Amino acid sequence: MHVPDVSVVVIVYNDAERLPTAVQSVLDQTLRGVEVVIVDDCSKDRSFAVAQELEAAHPDRVRAFRLPENSGGCGAPRNHGIQQATGTYVMFLDSDDVLERNACRNMLAAAERTGSDLVSGMCVRVHLDNRWGKTTEWYPWIYARTRTLESITEYPDLLVYDTLSTNKCYRRAFLLEQGLEFPVGIHYEDLLFSAQAYVAARRITLIPNHVYFWNVVEKAAALSISNRRHEIENFVHRMEIHRRVDELLAAKGHTAIKSAKDAKFLKHDLVLHLRDLPLLGDAYRQEFARLANGYLEGIDPAAYENVTHLQAICAYLLGKEDWDNLLPAADAMTNKGRLCSPLAERDGRVYWCAQHLDDAEGRRILDVTDQGYHTAPLSSLALGNRLTSYEDDGRGSVTLAGRIVNPLGRIQADTPLKATLEFRARRQIGVRSFSFPVETVRHAGDTIEWNTTADVASTVRPLGIIDAVWDVRLKLTAGGDRMTTRVAVGGVDMESASRLRVRPRLTRLVSDRFEPEMTKKGNLSYVLTAEGRAAVRTQALLNGAMHGKAAGVVKRGLRRALKARRNIGSGEQKVKVYHEVFSKLPVKKGTVVFESHMGKQYSDSPKAIYEELVRQGAPFEAIWSYAGAKPTGFPKEATLVRRWSWPYLRALAQAEYWVDNQGFPLALAKRPGTTYIQTWHGSALKRMGFHEPRTKAQGKAGQDRFQAAVDRFDHFLIRSEHDARTLAKGFRLRDEVLLRTGYPRNDALVEAHRAEAQSGERVRGPLAAELGIDPAKKVLLYAPTFRANADGTVEGFEFPFAVEEFADRLGDRFTLLVRTHYLNSVSLPPSVAGRVLDVSRHHDITPLLALADGLITDYSSVMFDYAVLDRPMLFFAYDYEKYATDIRGTYFDLKEKAPGPVLATADELMQAVSAFDEADAKYAEARQRFLSEFGEYDRGDAARQIVEKFFTRSGK
């Protein structure tokens, strides 16, 4: 009988519906020698019957087993699977997850090549209920490259961070020889099993391949075991598993691993439970403290040096069971940036609280002087504001009272106070809010107390799904300082709170109740309750359009659109409403919709144009598009609209100007009264538009759609005649569309170069201090472009060199900033902290370019921008042949024109960085030639030219 290469143990409990998908992901593996061992944990539904059906359909590849009684966890069915497996290697799969198609082949190949007992690959969390198809790689920095370990001591981070059992392939003989089994009757069994396997393995191989897709439903009706943190038994199990792992490490003498694990416990495991403490009762807290403090006594004191100040404060106050000071600290940790304690000052130092300062350890941990709470302007502090009472009259009025933190008594007793309570729509067109004057606001020592009654029924006027969720804020004016605070629920019981009546604008189309709700971060909000799904979906269309001169036209268009109201949230229907309803509204003069990289950033040339408009005081109304659930980094003065939302569609339909650097949705036609200024986002190395074979292969219909999209451009910015020959021709743009201004985003770089040339000094500016960069070190920026597969999908980012080796060899001379393409993300190992910094979340790359003493890139268009600074560039083109000969092709040979060395291997890169100063002088003339050819129009006044041409009176 043929022995399978890999046995995949699929465990299931009451999951008949998803089990076939999991099993099929094993049957579809590109490695054929794979068997499926299904173990049902005595399910109450048809899970075992489905397993038997799969066995009958695939008798040579699937075997099904059932435990006689439910074990209540994953351990027992996995152990049974190990015993029943016949393969040389064993893997584990949960019934609600799937394997990557090449997982077994890749892991088997690595195991046979290296002789490893254990092979581990990358797990990907797939957020099924995220509308944007969100995925997150599980500790990707661990899997940046293939590596083989002779002992877990060579790479402790693996045991500390990747505690999963399911993204691994185990030699079955190894499991049996070592007697490795999952613990039974206790949760978090993966943590112990994986630790035992890591410690026992004679050789471990890590591969940089996706192997396991972990399907996550954030809003599941039934919480997973690990998410039931409100159950004290959950924490009991977690602590017991941690103790067993610690005993294992102690028995093997792995003290360094234990210290790293302790730091992770403080930063992760403990924090998960601390965040929930303000919402749980006294009995839970007391038992939690007993369990946690017993464990914290054994924590390595050095671990506290590797956590944030709030994490350390919480752990210390938990040890003292000081709930009065711990709960505000936990609240502050959950709501980043919020100051929830009144603080204390002693001998010129500022502390989180006045207690425990007679203890040397307490003084050290509680010292928050460096956080600057005592020097920062009051208006910049997010002061904690907790409810002390909540009452409603059962109709439409609510009475609230609360306390606002007054840190160090900075709001003095004689300072006049006034406040307003604001109900603000979370999803909004412009500003949708209603305010109530606060009846009483007074000084009360280290807090400001307030109470008021809000007649919601007669004041708040919701529109519908656009503003279905409302947050509550209190705006406090103390003398000349103005502060906005979120209202936290605190310990107030909201279970008995009634729904509030509201007076909607269109009663027949929307619901008429506000239901109080506590957000995930513990803040007060209200949710509009709907009488019917159709009513909620419909109201988004109206948005005030039923009033005014265009009402008749809008109503006729609306009636046509409402015929398909069941699908009103679909893209097809949104496009229809855009053209048939919103495009009939009048164009609003002076309105500009800005967008950068499809809403992902506040950056690039659109940002530069917007800020120049602000500087010149031009009369305009700015609307910025953002992607995702919550905008970050966008200007507060502008109106923000989520991309593809109803407010976004209406804004585009009525805007006088569109300004973006990539492309507004292709399906939306531009109105004749709208001017589209396309700034684009970089000169081209790769072939673009109709020069791409893939575009030519689309057929006439696809090409016509693409042509219609680029024909919307009224103006297209270029920075050189190279752009005119490449980008403009690739998009089939007429010459009169081209604006030879240069890129507004590069104005700052031109100015930085001029200032440096005049003064002879490099001024790094505030960003260097913000990033904590050592002024004695040179700064290198690594900014690669993305890679795409043959079908156009973007590959995940993987370091093409060993970042830890880079830090060890060069970190004493250089600080490396890593800035991935906006389509990618990166995660750095803790070992490189301070020497390698991830700056990918800095939306605008321009300040990073200005900061960097040198650039490391590959084929990214950032090379053309950085040339303005006349600083050294290194081109790490490790996959040059593949990239240059890709189906898209390039406009020129990078090796011929690159103004710096083109490097093919990681060792060449390390050597070039070591000889950094040599490259500066050697390529000086090449950099000038490069700038002349690719940046001839970048003169530092691009934004001013655009504003004066289109937005100022003299330009019109």
Side-chain angles (χ1 to χ4, degrees), residues 347-662:
D347 301 323
R349 305 296 295 178
V350 177
Y351 299 91
W352 182 258
C353 57
Q355 290 70 36
H356 319 295
L357 301 183
D358 55 345
D359 172 23
E361 184 73 357
R363 285 197 306 276
R364 184 181 67 82
I365 292 177
L366 296 171
D367 191 331
V368 293
T369 308
D370 292 343
Q371 303 305 313
Y373 295 130
H374 58 304
T375 58
L378 272 174
S379 57
S380 70
L381 297 178
L383 300 180
N385 183 359
R386 297 173 68 83
L387 285 180
T388 53
S389 69
Y390 180 99
E391 298 177 3
D392 60 71
D393 62 3
R395 297 186 297 277
S397 183
V398 60
T399 299
L400 307 174
R403 293 193 183 99
I404 303 172
V405 168
N406 182 11
L408 301 174
R410 292 185 60 185
I411 304 175
Q412 297 180 6
D414 58 351
T415 303
L417 304 174
K418 64 178 180 178
T420 57
L421 189 70
E422 179 187 64
F423 283 62
R424 187 183 185 94
R426 191 176 297 174
R427 295 175 181 176
Q428 56 196 18
I429 297 175
V431 176
R432 294 282 302 155
S433 64
F434 297 90
S435 297
F436 303 87
V438 173
E439 297 162 2
T440 302
V441 54
R442 64 183 185 86
H443 296 274
D446 56 10
T447 64
I448 303 294
E449 294 184 349
W450 60 271
N451 66 74
T452 193
T453 298
D455 186 1
V456 175
S458 62
T459 306
V460 178
R461 305 290 305 278
L463 286 174
I465 192 62
I466 291 176
D467 49 10
V469 181
W470 294 69
D471 295 313
V472 180
R473 292 173 167 83
L474 187 136
K475 294 187 173 183
L476 174 68
T477 300
D481 293 309
R482 297 179 180 177
M483 292 148 279
T484 299
T485 67
R486 285 297 304 271
V487 178
V489 172
V492 173
D493 180 18
M494 302 294 295
E495 294 295 327
S496 59
S498 304
R499 293 180 176 183
L500 304 178
R501 291 182 181 179
V502 290
R503 189 162 57 97
R505 287 183 179 271
L506 297 164
T507 307
R508 289 175 295 177
L509 291 177
V510 298
S511 55
D512 59 354
R513 291 291 187 276
F514 261 169
E515 183 170 1
E517 179 180 88
M518 183 172 62
T519 68
K520 287 184 177 180
K521 293 188 175 182
N523 299 315
L524 178 64
S525 66
Y526 288 89
V527 178
L528 185 67
T529 56
E531 294 175 350
R533 296 178 66 186
V536 175
R537 289 172 173 172
T538 299
Q539 181 58 24
L541 304 176
L542 299 176
N543 190 23
M546 300 304 292
H547 305 282
K549 297 179 181 180
V553 176
V554 172
K555 288 178 181 177
R556 289 193 294 273
L558 182 59
R559 279 194 293 270
R560 291 195 299 271
L562 290 182
K563 291 180 181 179
R565 63 186 179 184
R566 289 185 179 179
N567 298 316
I568 204 64
S570 69
E572 179 182 354
Q573 288 302 316
K574 282 187 172 182
V575 170
K576 186 174 183 179
V577 172
Y578 171 85
H579 290 106
E580 296 187 9
V581 180
F582 292 151
S583 291
K584 302 300 189 294
L585 297 170
V587 171
K588 296 172 64 177
K589 293 295 183 180
T591 301
V592 190
V593 176
F594 294 92
E595 185 171 286
S596 179
H597 294 304
M598 296 185 290
K600 293 182 174 67
Q601 301 175 353
Y602 172 62
S603 66
D604 211 78
S605 292
K607 173 187 176 183
I609 294 173
Y610 166 79
E611 292 183 348
E612 181 65 20
L613 281 164
V614 173
R615 273 194 294 271
Q616 293 199 24
F620 77 109
E621 178 188 352
I623 300 173
W624 269 93
S625 151
Y626 70 90
K630 184 178 180 180
T632 55
F634 288 84
K636 296 180 180 179
E637 299 79 13
T639 297
L640 305 183
V641 293
R642 184 170 49 80
R643 202 172 198 263
W644 270 116
S645 66
W646 294 110
Y648 174 80
L649 296 176
R650 183 179 180 184
L652 283 177
Q654 292 193 270
E656 184 180 8
Y657 291 97
W658 290 0
V659 178
D660 92 309
N661 65 352
Q662 191 154 344

Side-chain angles (χ1 to χ4, degrees), residues 720-880:
S720 67
E721 287 306 304
H722 167 77
D723 292 351
R725 295 188 299 269
T726 56
L727 286 171
K729 298 295 184 185
F731 292 144
R732 296 179 180 174
L733 301 176
R734 304 181 311 278
D735 190 70
E736 57 266 29
V737 171
L738 306 182
L739 290 180
R740 290 169 167 80
T741 60
Y743 281 172
R745 72 183 185 191
N746 288 342
D747 291 349
L749 299 181
V750 174
E751 179 57 34
H753 178 61
R754 286 175 181 164
E756 184 178 329
Q758 291 172 1
S759 67
E761 297 181 2
R762 175 80 47 83
V763 179
R764 287 185 166 177
L767 181 57
E770 177 186 331
L771 296 174
I773 292 175
D774 185 344
K777 296 182 182 180
K778 288 188 179 296
V779 178
L780 296 180
L781 175 65
Y782 178 46
T785 190
F786 69 93
R787 304 297 192 274
N789 297 312
D791 60 359
T793 57
V794 176
E795 296 179 0
F797 174 77
E798 297 176 2
F799 270 106
F801 59 89
V803 67
E804 292 169 300
E805 181 184 355
F806 189 102
D808 291 341
R809 287 177 57 175
L810 302 165
D812 60 333
R813 295 171 51 201
F814 298 92
T815 298
L816 181 67
L817 308 181
V818 179
R819 211 276 192 172
T820 60
H821 191 276
Y822 72 90
L823 294 174
N824 292 136
S825 60
V826 65
S827 184
L828 296 172
S831 58
V832 302
R835 297 174 293 173
V836 182
L837 307 177
D838 176 18
V839 293
S840 301
R841 292 187 179 182
H842 284 254
H843 284 185
D844 195 354
I845 196 174
T846 301
L848 297 170
L849 295 175
L851 170 62
D853 297 297
L855 174 70
I856 303 173
T857 187
D858 43 21
Y859 323 104
S860 171
S861 64
V862 74
M863 69 175 80
F864 303 109
D865 303 294
Y866 196 73
V868 171
L869 293 164
D870 190 25
R871 297 177 191 169
M873 285 187 268
L874 307 177
F875 296 84
F876 185 33
Y878 58 92
D879 56 351
Y880 181 78

